[in-house]
Amino acid sequence: MLHFAHGGLLVAGLIVTLFVASRIANHGVQGLSLGSLTGASATVAAVEEIEPEVVEVADTPSSKLSPDLQRVKAYIAKRYQVSAVAVEPLLASAQQTGRSVGVDPLLLVAVMAIESRFNPFAESPMGAQGLMQVIPKWHPDKVDVKTDKGAMFDPDTNIRVGALVLKEYIQSTGSVERALQQYNGSSDPTAPYANKVMAVKAQLSQAARGGKYFGA
């Protein structure tokens, strides 16, 4: 049996040798690796078809701020003990909204400082909500809280509505100070609210110019 098995292996070896010789005769030496080359080519083609993922880096809020508001950001972080990272998008929104609505962005920032100290989730017992403490039921033409009860806690929405209210009051009263008094719900021209907001705005303006901070 061992002799028979050994003879069988010799026959098998001879068949393989003849097959290899035939491949070389018909295709040359490269014919021996035709399958592997084909597989390699397919692999290369597949790799080439996979495009590298492009990661788009979005602009950070700080890159959107003007140099003046960059300085204001540093001042606010120090004066009000809030994170500069957290306040960046608020300033960016005030900048964009102020420009589009036609209200000084620093006025919007000053109102936020007085009304909520930059807390977007602030809410008063009277129902004033968000950064600029807007009472939604008084301004149904500007925000639909029936559809979205949390709309005024969205910083962009709150700043936009607050800016529109201020713009409306400035146009109707002809004065920023009187508009602020109306914003605060007071008709008394001697009420301190407007003076408080304007004092904060003056501090912000000083910071924006790179001057020394005062009133801290």
Side-chain angles (χ1 to χ4, degrees), residues 48-184:
E48 291 178 348
E49 290 177 358
I50 300 176
E51 297 181 357
E53 181 180 357
V54 178
V55 179
E56 294 183 359
V57 179
D59 290 338
T60 60
S62 61
S63 68
K64 298 178 182 178
L65 294 179
S66 67
D68 289 352
L69 282 180
Q70 288 282 8
R71 290 186 284 268
V72 168
K73 179 189 70 176
Y75 167 75
I76 289 173
K78 180 180 179 180
R79 171 70 176 81
Y80 295 93
Q81 295 296 296
V82 295
S83 166
V85 174
V87 84
E88 281 180 359
L90 308 184
L91 296 180
S93 182
Q95 176 179 263
Q96 180 179 357
T97 300
R99 290 172 177 174
S100 62
V101 173
V103 176
D104 187 346
L106 289 184
L107 180 62
L108 301 180
V109 177
V111 170
M112 283 188 266
I114 293 294
E115 291 287 354
S116 67
R117 294 182 70 87
F118 305 100
N119 177 9
F121 303 110
E123 186 169 15
S124 77
M126 299 298 294
Q129 297 178 342
L131 290 165
M132 299 187 69
Q133 289 292 278
V134 178
I135 299 179
K137 66 180 181 181
W138 290 357
H139 308 285
D141 59 319
K142 298 178 180 64
V143 61
D144 181 12
V145 293
K146 292 182 179 180
T147 302
D148 182 4
K149 293 183 179 180
M152 293 310 298
F153 296 109
D154 172 68
D156 291 337
T157 300
N158 193 282
I159 293 171
R160 178 183 61 81
V161 174
L164 290 173
V165 172
L166 277 174
K167 178 70 172 181
E168 184 179 289
Y169 290 169
I170 291 171
Q171 291 177 336
S172 62
T173 64
S175 165
V176 172
E177 288 76 11
R178 286 196 293 270
L180 288 170
Q181 296 292 72
Q182 187 173 350
Y183 188 90
N184 189 48

